[in-house]
Amino acid sequence: MSYRMTAAILAATLLASLLAGCRPGPALPHADPSPVRGGTLVVAVPADPAGLDPHKAVAAATFQITRNLYETLVQVDPNGELESALALEWEVSPDGLAYTFYLRPGARFHDGRAADAAAVKASFERLLDPATGHPRRKDYAVIGELVIAGEHTLVIRLAEYSAAFLSNLAMGWAAVVPVDAADLFNQPVGSGPFRFVEWRPQQHVKLARFEEYGVDELPYLDEVVFQIIPDGAVQLRHLQAGQVDVITVLPPETADQVRSTPGLKVLSAPMNAVQLLAINNARPPFDDLRVRRALSHLVDRQAVVDGAVWGYGTVIGSHMPPVSPYYEDLTGAYEHDPARARQLLGEAGYPDGFEVTIHLPDAYELHRRAGEIIADQLRAGGIRARLEVVEWGRWLKEIYEQRQYHLTVIGHTGRLDPDPFLNRYVSKSRENYMNYDNPVYDQLIAEAAACTDLARRHQLYSLLQKTLTGDAVAVWLQAPHHVMGAAETVRGWRFFPIDVYDLSTVHKTR
Amino acid sequence: MNRNLTLGFSLVGLVLAATMVGALAVPRDPLAMDIGNRVQPPGAAHFFGTDQYGRDIFSRVLAAGLPSLAVALGAVAIGLGAGGLAGALSGLHRGLADELLMRAVDAMLTFPAILFALMVVAVRGPGNLNTALAIGLVNIPVFARLTRGSVLSLREEQYVEAARALGATNGHILLRHLLPGLATPLVIQASLSVSTAVLAEAALSYLGLGVQPPDPSWGRMIGEAQSFLGRGPWMAVFPGLAIAVTVLGFNLLGDGLRDRLDPHTR
């Protein structure tokens, strides 16, 4: 390629990105220049969805599917940024209390009715109506007024400022539904890229291309089948036999096997989740900062990632995963350094270590494995850790609610806003099972939640993460990865910081 | 000595010797992890290979012997002690107490043994002591019925009637005149019960209710190896072999003892 041609392409690309920057539009989903149209994609999922009405579900199994049937006003892109969906553009008033959404003209539900401002207003009224029984209604309780300002223009006025409001609109349970549809639970009707065909419980959910979707000529596929196969080993055999194209949960220890099989590949990306060794900060000896820091120095995080998930995880240094735009890299704060740990333990009055119990939830192999590895690593500091595997219900009651523990290994998944991740460390929070108590932290997080200045907000959340790491409130281990198995022919699969599968950009090479 | 007895004695001897070695000196620390060396096949450095955390499987199989045998022997001791006493008393006294006791035993026998043990462990929590207790409880009815049956036939013997005519107490009769006759069936049953107890302990540990991590246990090792069967089959094979040899040894020992001691089968 000549220099001139390269320069021309570069200039064109720059211009294109400048133009694209003018308004939030659907980003080009992937770099593949000529996606193949048509075909059927079979995705193996472990369980039936708990109904297909997004206003009446909490299970991820529902939203993984409904993302393809319904649209939200805005949606999240793989980088955690908000992009247009049913709303092509939006404006926020300077006081942060009024949001104006400009809807996609010509947007239709699958039954032919218009998905216009009136339909969106009605959908939000349904969401907010206590009679609907929306499990997360309180997340939207800040909505004060819904005003139709034109056929395709809707204004949402808030009763009070909420930093998380816009990102809450991107969650699957805020999807826009036609309110007079007869039975969304079993016969979903949306305005998304695929329309519903049939749901045979314990067999499959079948979707077909919605011809009038009207966004970038998406989707590519003609048909999507979510096949319900509960057992992981059976899923793997189906993939190897070519009967399914994608298996959504691949145990990391079998990833090598998939990668070495001709015609198959492994898809993976960090989850919007953190795994941590939680410490009860109120219980001796862990009320002593030096002891908590010693723990941080004793744990070799990379060994935990290698041992528990065969490398399919990213080491972290505070309570925020790298996929978050608010992530602060603090992985260097406590090097793996047993000598330094022993010194700290000596200063704290435990030169010979001590005995402690690590409680591990039986429902999660990931946490049980990490706990076993950590117990072995703590021996280098003379800490003799006994492992106790507890039944999940007991874990929730005795450890999470009653805080009767010293150490435990657990994971937390995040939303798009950083606040839900970090507000569990507020001293009075009911979720503060680590008994962290720092008035400065409480004050900073209150300020961050009320802050309308985006730059300042970033600064505050960065400071909050540093405060947690400085106080060694927990030993943050890793952001585990999604690990999936797929046929080589599957292209355009994207991972999101929320638990959804967007198949509109997926295509098969044959 | 018959063939069964010889083979049984040899296998049990081998298991006991290996357990002693495991308790006193294993080649490597059975708990020490080495993530860089995980799922290594058997070789000179690791005779049985390494597991998913790079732990030495040879050392773990040896070290798992003591807790496994201790739980099994403890369980049989509980069954033999409590069941034997209950059976003997109920056989000697007859009457209402006998009726009640035997109906209770019948009721216990209606539960599948492993289900009953699972229930006990679920209520009392996992751990070696509770596992021994659970398997021991399952064994009580077995020994109770056996003892009662033997006592019922022995008490009609003329030498027992003679002792009773001379004014001997029940306790005296039990210890001096019945126990020698009871010993044979009980020893045989105990040997067979040890093998089922080893299996039961392995099953409970496999389900995550017996020995707790990181301590090694044959059942747990097989449970953990399950996700790695394609990649490292040795992780399951060696603990499986250990269970098989132990169970076979105690079974053959029981059979051999019966052939040798029981006058009816000779």
Side-chain angles (χ1 to χ4, degrees):
Chain A
M1 195 183 287
S2 71
Y3 166 74
R4 188 172 298 174
M5 208 171 145
T6 316
I9 291 173
L10 199 67
T13 320
L14 264 177
L15 190 64
S17 61
L18 277 174
L19 286 174
C22 291
R23 63 169 179 81
L28 254 179
H30 50 82
D32 201 326
S34 55
V36 177
R37 295 195 170 273
T40 299
L41 185 81
V42 184
V43 180
V45 291
D48 264 306
L52 294 165
D53 182 342
H55 291 179
K56 293 182 179 174
V58 284
T62 293
F63 301 109
Q64 288 165 352
I65 294 175
T66 57
R67 163 75 174 240
N68 301 288
L69 292 166
Y70 301 94
E71 283 181 292
T72 43
L73 280 177
V74 296
Q75 67 188 17
V76 65
D77 76 0
N79 302 318
E81 305 289 346
L82 296 177
E83 62 177 19
S84 67
L86 187 55
L88 282 183
E89 297 174 51
W90 61 90
E91 283 164 8
V92 191
S93 65
D95 60 1
L97 290 177
Y99 287 79
T100 308
F101 294 94
Y102 301 98
L103 308 180
R104 190 171 71 240
R108 299 206 162 272
F109 290 114
H110 303 149
D111 60 6
R113 280 176 287 187
D116 55 12
V120 175
K121 178 172 189 271
S123 176
F124 275 98
E125 282 165 354
R126 177 180 190 258
L127 187 161
L128 292 168
D129 183 356
T132 307
H134 194 294
R136 300 184 200 272
R137 197 172 67 91
K138 71 171 172 49
D139 288 359
Y140 303 92
V142 290
I143 295 180
E145 202 184 355
L146 298 149
V147 184
I148 300 172
E151 196 187 346
H152 302 294
T153 310
L154 181 78
V155 179
I156 301 183
R157 277 194 234 285
L158 304 188
E160 57 185 283
Y161 176 71
S162 161
F165 176 68
L166 199 58
S167 65
N168 278 342
L169 292 183
M171 304 308 289
W173 45 82
V176 173
V177 305
V179 290
D180 40 5
D183 181 14
L184 291 173
F185 193 90
N186 292 303
Q187 299 277 332
V189 178
S191 59
F194 292 92
R195 63 182 167 80
F196 176 76
V197 178
E198 68 169 356
W199 172 19
R200 287 175 187 257
Q202 303 192 336
Q203 291 181 37
H204 62 244
V205 178
K206 204 175 274 185
L207 319 180
R209 183 176 201 269
F210 178 43
E211 302 294 340
E212 291 114 280
Y213 180 50
V215 178
D216 290 354
E217 295 179 49
L218 294 174
Y220 300 123
L221 295 162
D222 284 340
E223 196 180 39
V224 173
V225 179
F226 290 97
Q227 195 159 331
I228 292 132
I229 306 175
D231 185 78
V234 178
Q235 286 195 5
L236 188 55
R237 276 196 289 280
H238 274 77
L239 180 70
Q240 286 165 330
Q243 287 160 331
V244 306
D245 299 303
V246 177
I247 57 179
T248 53
V249 183
L250 183 68
E253 62 266 23
T254 56
D256 276 2
Q257 196 185 330
V258 169
R259 202 182 302 107
S260 60
T261 309
L264 298 185
K265 63 181 172 187
V266 174
L267 304 171
S268 76
M271 286 187 204
N272 187 18
V274 295
Q275 184 193 32
L276 64 155
L277 172 69
I279 305 172
N280 190 340
N281 283 241
R283 276 217 182 166
F286 302 111
D287 54 347
D288 187 326
L289 175 61
R290 290 168 297 192
V291 175
R292 297 198 302 271
R293 285 189 169 163
L295 283 186
S296 294
H297 282 299
L298 282 172
V299 173
D300 179 354
R301 296 168 176 79
Q302 190 57 50
V304 173
V305 171
D306 290 342
V309 290
W310 298 75
Y312 284 98
T314 304
V315 168
I316 54 171
S318 192
H319 197 103
M320 191 68 65
V323 292
S324 169
Y326 292 87
Y327 172 71
E328 182 70 36
D329 185 353
L330 295 166
T331 48
Y334 301 100
E335 299 288 336
H336 177 230
D337 187 352
R340 174 85 186 111
R342 278 192 298 274
Q343 189 194 335
L344 282 166
L345 286 172
E347 286 169 17
Y350 301 97
D352 303 318
F354 48 83
E355 283 192 18
V356 70
T357 299
I358 307 181
H359 287 93
L360 303 173
D362 71 342
Y364 296 96
E365 190 161 34
L366 167 65
H367 305 321
R368 291 204 316 267
R369 288 180 177 173
E372 286 186 57
I373 297 165
I374 289 168
D376 183 57
Q377 292 173 347
L378 295 186
R379 297 202 296 172
I383 300 176
R384 295 166 297 282
R386 206 174 72 84
L387 298 174
E388 193 177 325
V389 179
V390 293
E391 190 259 321
W392 181 234
R394 214 186 114 204
W395 189 94
L396 284 173
K397 187 157 167 271
E398 290 176 15
I399 291 168
Y400 199 70
E401 283 174 32
Q402 300 173 352
R403 307 178 186 179
Q404 299 295 321
Y405 76 104
H406 282 99
L407 300 171
T408 186
V409 180
I410 193 65
H412 294 293
T413 53
R415 299 281 190 82
L416 297 169
D417 194 76
D419 189 66
F421 255 132
L422 294 173
N423 70 15
R424 69 167 60 256
Y425 292 96
V426 170
S427 55
K428 295 276 182 291
S429 166
R430 279 189 53 205
E431 324 263 85
N432 180 15
Y433 67 103
M434 286 176 260
N435 282 317
Y436 181 52
D437 186 359
N438 181 347
V440 178
Y441 186 91
D442 293 356
Q443 200 185 329
L444 283 174
I445 199 165
E447 191 187 331
C451 182
T452 50
D453 175 1
L454 207 62
R456 172 74 183 140
R457 209 163 176 252
H458 262 95
Q459 223 173 24
L460 285 168
Y461 282 117
S462 158
L463 194 57
L464 286 165
Q465 292 171 58
K466 285 177 183 157
T467 308
L468 290 178
T469 304
D471 285 339
V473 185
V475 184
W476 295 278
L477 303 167
Q478 60 163 329
H481 291 186
H482 293 280
V483 187
M484 299 186 181
E488 187 57 55
T489 52
V490 175
R491 298 289 153 83
W493 189 283
R494 299 183 299 163
F495 289 95
F496 297 89
I498 57 178
D499 201 352
V500 293
Y501 307 141
D502 179 354
L503 302 175
S504 67
T505 61
V506 176
H507 61 98
K508 286 167 81 177
T509 52
R510 62 166 186 279
Chain B
M1 282 233 279
N2 59 51
R3 223 177 52 205
N4 280 350
L5 198 57
T6 317
L7 198 56
F9 255 122
S10 323
L11 288 179
V12 169
L14 176 76
V15 169
L16 289 179
T19 302
M20 293 267 276
V21 172
L24 297 173
V26 283
R28 286 161 193 272
D29 180 346
L31 301 184
M33 297 185 182
D34 180 4
I35 304 283
N37 262 320
R38 61 187 158 177
V39 200
Q40 293 292 314
H46 302 280
F47 300 135
F48 289 177
T50 62
D51 70 2
Q52 74 274 26
Y53 300 126
R55 294 177 296 201
D56 183 43
I57 294 178
F58 182 64
S59 304
R60 285 179 73 75
V61 168
L62 289 185
L66 187 61
S68 179
L69 285 184
V71 166
L73 293 174
V76 171
I78 292 171
L80 181 64
L85 196 64
L89 292 179
S90 115
L92 268 181
H93 286 290
R94 313 292 299 271
L96 184 66
D98 180 32
E99 268 305 306
L100 287 177
L101 220 69
M102 282 307 112
R103 293 298 80 79
V105 161
D106 285 344
M108 281 172 85
L109 281 173
T110 56
F111 284 100
I114 196 77
L115 205 64
F116 190 76
L118 266 176
M119 195 174 74
V120 174
V121 176
V123 170
R124 294 191 45 95
N128 286 351
L129 205 64
N130 288 341
T131 311
L133 192 68
I135 304 172
L137 283 175
V138 170
N139 270 304
I140 288 178
V142 177
F143 284 99
R145 295 206 110 182
L146 180 68
T147 315
R148 176 175 175 272
S150 304
V151 166
L152 280 184
S153 70
L154 288 176
R155 71 197 296 266
E156 307 302 330
E157 296 280 340
Q158 283 191 345
Y159 64 89
V160 177
E161 279 181 19
R164 201 184 296 280
L166 287 172
T169 59
N170 272 339
H172 179 84
I173 291 175
L174 184 62
L175 287 178
R176 290 298 297 272
H177 301 289
L178 297 184
L179 199 57
L182 284 173
T184 302
L186 287 181
V187 164
I188 296 166
Q189 181 58 47
S191 177
L192 295 173
S193 286
V194 168
S195 74
T196 52
V198 166
L199 269 182
E201 188 278 330
L204 288 176
S205 293
Y206 171 87
L207 295 171
L209 293 168
V211 174
Q212 290 298 291
D215 289 335
S217 133
W218 296 330
R220 255 196 82 76
M221 290 170 80
I222 293 180
E224 288 176 357
Q226 200 168 287
S227 350
F228 303 93
L229 279 181
R231 182 194 275 250
W234 57 87
M235 284 170 61
V237 165
F238 291 108
L241 268 179
I243 296 175
V245 167
T246 310
V247 169
L248 187 66
F250 279 103
N251 266 336
L252 288 176
L253 187 65
D255 281 352
L257 283 175
R258 186 179 54 213
D259 293 347
R260 187 170 174 81
L261 300 176
D262 192 339
H264 302 298
T265 57
R266 205 171 321 188

